[in-house]
Amino acid sequence: MQAPTVLIADDDAVSVHLLRHCLTSAGFRVVTAGDGREALALMQSEPVVLAILDVMMPVMDGLEVVNRARADPKLSTIPVIMVTSREQDTDILDAMKLGVADYLIKPFRPTEFLTRVARIIAERRRAA
């Protein structure tokens, strides 16, 4: 059985490296995108069980990725965690209104990140 696939979409190489390390250490398969358009393409072509998105990315930001994914029946049920340095209440509320599963502000604690990932994946499995 193949490990569950998680998408990381972030244009910051250090963030991608840290997130990838956390997820692969926990047994996940990871695919990465450097911008929002690439993230949407991977969500359509890979068996993604969870998307980790930064808000601020080139070409298309993370909120637009969520908005477009929610409008696509094939992608609408993929849970999303925003992992970003945007910490204003309005940023968090905008993301939650779009239906993100969680919002984590950088810098984050890896154990907290993995706990949130595990919770969201468990909720998705129960709902399936």
Side-chain angles (χ1 to χ4, degrees), residues 10 19 50-57 61-64 66 70 79-109 112-117 119-120 123:
D10 196 321
L19 291 165
L50 176 67
I52 311 297
L53 306 177
D54 187 14
V55 171
M56 299 178 296
M57 291 187 289
D61 70 30
L63 295 176
E64 183 62 23
V66 174
R70 293 298 174 253
V80 174
I81 300 176
M82 302 304 293
V83 178
T84 183
S85 58
R86 304 277 306 254
E87 59 182 311
Q88 297 295 321
D89 289 345
T90 55
D91 297 322
I92 297 166
L93 290 172
D94 288 345
M96 293 300 184
K97 286 177 187 174
L98 288 175
V100 301
D102 211 337
Y103 195 101
L104 193 58
I105 298 167
K106 296 175 187 176
F108 58 89
R109 291 185 298 279
E112 179 184 6
F113 169 71
L114 286 175
T115 299
R116 291 176 184 222
V117 166
R119 176 187 52 84
I120 290 165
E123 287 172 358

